[in-house]
Amino acid sequence: MKVVILAGGLGSRLSEETTVKPKPMVEIGGKPMLWHIMKIYAAYGIDDFIVCLGYKGYVIKEWFANYALHTSDVTFDLRTGDMEVHHSTTEPWRVTLVETGEATMTGGRLKRVLPYVGDDTFCFTYGDGLSDLDLDALRNHHRTSGALATVTAVSPAGRFGALEIDDGRVRGFREKPQGDGAWINGGFFVLEPGVGDYIEGDHTVWEREPMERLAAEGQLAPFRHTGFWQAMDTLRERHLLEDLWASGEAPWRRW
């Protein structure tokens, strides 16, 4: 199974970081967010990736071009120009990097890479979210649903603590309770190639017309995930993920 990862957005709310790199290359624990996402999939035996490039896509290309070198012990023979690899910790991944245009919307990026996907079921996600999602359960749910698309539904905790008020007095306090009960798009999809028929072109936003039409036709199945999920939209959220990684207890780390 292949994984399509959106990695072309501006990441404007992380402007301190994204003036020099695309959002998925912002680092958590010294490794890009994109690497963490790929490691999540690889932990479930999925190691064939298609990355949709846009804003500063050359940064991602250069990182992968040098990745094997950076994760290996090597000897350079400057007399002959030869390089000998002694030990490598490089993952056995296949990574296809596709220029999908700087101004292309999420649906348009997906449609542009469908020729690289082929005719099989595939995974699809954003380049800025981490989770301890059970990908095997997600794929099995999609298979049994018979739908063209399955979206992971999450109900994230509120940002702030909640006061419990009764009769003019605060009776208790709940630290960052679960949200208002609504389920939102958690960004981990399983799709059939036929979803391309729902995408008109570069201007199409995946989360609008395609998903709305799939839902209206009964072709969008939900997979509810109640475990860890965190997007990285702001510096505060980036610091939260960094702290979790530094603690040695990052929930998304399955490797």
Side-chain angles (χ1 to χ4, degrees), residues 9-33 55-56 58-60 127-128 232-243:
L10 292 174
S12 56
R13 285 185 287 179
L14 281 166
S15 58
E16 294 88 341
E17 296 266 5
T18 55
T19 54
V20 295
K21 66 183 72 170
K23 185 179 181 183
M25 295 305 289
V26 173
E27 293 186 351
I28 303 296
K31 288 289 195 299
M33 170 67 83
Y55 173 71
K56 294 188 182 295
Y58 65 88
V59 175
I60 297 177
D128 62 358
M232 185 185 67
D233 288 325
T234 64
L235 280 177
R236 182 189 70 84
E237 291 166 343
R238 187 231 166 182
H239 294 322
L240 169 64
L241 294 172
E242 186 75 47
D243 290 344

Side-chain angles (χ1 to χ4, degrees), residues 158-229:
R159 180 176 175 182
F160 304 104
L163 299 177
E164 297 176 348
I165 299 175
D166 180 56
D167 195 25
R169 293 290 185 273
V170 175
R171 303 300 180 184
F173 180 80
R174 288 178 293 142
E175 179 65 19
K176 294 183 180 179
Q178 203 67 15
D180 59 6
W183 294 88
I184 67 170
N185 170 13
F188 289 84
F189 299 86
V190 182
L191 306 176
E192 300 300 325
V195 298
D197 296 336
Y198 292 73
I199 303 171
E200 185 174 341
D202 285 356
H203 63 280
T204 305
V205 177
W206 166 250
E207 300 78 13
R208 296 295 300 276
E209 294 90 346
M211 287 187 66
E212 290 169 359
R213 185 178 156 201
L214 285 163
E217 296 180 7
Q219 290 294 333
L220 182 61
F223 178 79
R224 290 180 173 85
H225 173 63
T226 57
F228 174 82
W229 175 87

